[in-house]
Amino acid sequence: MAEKQDQHELCTEPEKQESCSGDCGSCPSAREHGMEGAQPHLPEKAKIDVRHVILVLSGKGGVGKSTVAVNLAYALSNHGFNVGLLDLDLHGPSIPKMLGIEDYKLQVVGNLIEPARITGSLSALSMAFLLPDTSTPVIWRGPMKMSVISQFLNDVNWGHLDYLVVDLPPGTGDEALTIAQLAPNVRGAVIVTTPQEVAILDSRKTIKFIEKLDLPVLGIVENMSGLICPHCKTEIDVFGKGGGEKAAEEFKVPFLGSIPLDLAMREAGDEGRPYVLRHSDSPTWKAVDSVMEELVKRVEN
């Protein structure tokens, strides 16, 4: 059975993992199995007309990563950019709910899939569009994930995009590795965290993960940074404050800004009407817009 084992699964002993150079052919384990001289297979980049691909990640779930991705994509679109929003949280796709397009079914024109057109400058695609209902689980291993991610890039009529915002599942798994390999013009990652230490701990792992992929960390966003009271409009530090900025300083990566915990943002997501469309005069909207402007500054310059 050992001869049939995937070459990338051979480095299982801790001492071999620590000294792994990424060259499978030089790996002691590869020599043991007669694979000396083998080179890792790198897939071709997808043929998609996009200037900037932005990955949105978090070290753990429950920090509002998808909410940030949706509102960031909308904010970019509102500022005149052509934007695609790709939901690659394959096991827990929530973007359609937040956009109010849960009933959208994919259509094929010619040999290309049509994404959901949200506005004239914003389109979206999600695994949820392929499922029979919202309670259907996706039970897939890595190769299946890689195949569908390749299709979501190569076989979709995205048109010309200034930005493709990719909402990834929490952690450092197959989806992030695959999109980093397949997507062209990946400018880097935005890491979403909340202020408390348990979330910051996982964010540190995500930062190191992105660095191992030789991608820049475009910045950290501290979400749920203080609660805006719906009655008196004062701010309460429910989860603390400043953890994201502290992590940015520690790892010498940009801090894009903080977004407060706002009841109206939660309601907007549940109703399928993104927050930035309805609250252009609120402190939370200004915070989201400020994060977007900082991101554009980092990418365009």
Side-chain angles (χ1 to χ4, degrees), residues 157-187:
N157 182 25
W158 288 108
H160 168 71
L161 296 176
D162 295 306
Y163 286 85
L164 179 65
V165 178
V166 183
D167 180 36
L168 288 159
T172 55
D174 288 332
E175 293 85 345
L177 287 168
T178 300
I179 195 71
Q181 286 182 330
L182 294 182
N185 301 326
V186 179
R187 298 307 180 205

Side-chain angles (χ1 to χ4, degrees), residues 4-202:
K4 295 182 180 180
Q5 190 175 5
D6 190 297
Q7 65 181 20
H8 295 287
E9 295 178 354
L10 295 174
C11 291
T12 55
E13 298 176 26
E15 62 271 18
K16 292 178 182 177
Q17 289 178 336
E18 289 174 6
S19 61
C20 181
S21 66
D23 179 4
C24 296
S26 68
C27 179
S29 192
R31 289 196 292 271
E32 290 170 15
H33 294 281
M35 297 170 60
E36 188 172 3
Q39 294 297 321
H41 173 68
L42 296 178
E44 290 185 8
K45 293 291 185 182
K47 304 295 191 294
I48 175 174
D49 183 11
V50 59
R51 292 174 57 222
H52 309 297
V53 175
I54 309 296
L55 311 182
V56 182
L57 302 96
S58 65
K60 65 188 297 294
V63 300
K65 168 189 54 64
S66 295
T67 300
V68 170
V70 165
N71 284 283
L72 183 62
Y74 248 108
L76 287 166
S77 172
N78 289 344
H79 281 71
F81 295 106
N82 289 324
V83 182
L85 177 57
L86 179 56
D87 183 2
L88 288 189
D89 194 344
L90 302 179
H91 296 285
S94 56
I95 296 298
K97 171 68 174 176
M98 294 181 179
L99 293 174
I101 53 172
E102 289 178 284
D103 295 329
Y104 181 82
K105 297 300 178 186
L106 291 183
Q107 302 173 26
V108 178
V109 177
N111 58 350
L112 292 177
I113 298 167
E114 288 293 321
R117 306 292 177 182
I118 313 303
T119 69
S121 57
L122 176 62
S123 53
L125 187 63
S126 172
M127 184 68 201
F129 297 151
L130 297 172
L131 302 177
D133 57 64
T134 56
S135 62
T136 301
V138 175
I139 308 172
W140 283 356
R141 293 183 185 273
M144 289 291 289
K145 294 179 182 181
M146 188 168 183
S147 177
V148 78
I149 292 170
S150 176
Q151 277 197 298
F152 280 178
L153 292 172
N154 286 298
D155 300 338
V156 175
N157 182 25
W158 288 108
H160 168 71
L161 296 176
D162 295 306
Y163 286 85
L164 179 65
V165 178
V166 183
D167 180 36
L168 288 159
T172 55
D174 288 332
E175 293 85 345
L177 287 168
T178 300
I179 195 71
Q181 286 182 330
L182 294 182
N185 301 326
V186 179
R187 298 307 180 205
V190 172
I191 296 172
V192 181
T193 185
T194 49
Q196 70 266 44
E197 183 58 34
V198 67
I200 298 299
L201 177 65
D202 290 323

Side-chain angles (χ1 to χ4, degrees), residues 227-245:
L227 167 68
I228 303 293
C229 175
H231 305 294
C232 64
K233 304 302 180 185
T234 57
E235 190 172 319
I236 308 164
D237 294 338
V238 179
F239 298 118
K241 197 162 188 173
E245 189 167 8

Side-chain angles (χ1 to χ4, degrees), residues 239-261:
F239 298 118
K241 197 162 188 173
E245 189 167 8
K246 182 180 176 182
E249 290 175 1
E250 177 185 344
F251 283 92
K252 297 179 174 55
V253 298
F255 180 65
L256 297 179
S258 57
I259 301 172
L261 180 63

Side-chain angles (χ1 to χ4, degrees), residues 97-98 102 265-273:
K97 171 68 174 176
M98 294 181 179
E102 289 178 284
M265 182 172 279
R266 192 274 300 165
E267 291 173 342
D270 286 346
E271 294 169 3
R273 287 181 276 181

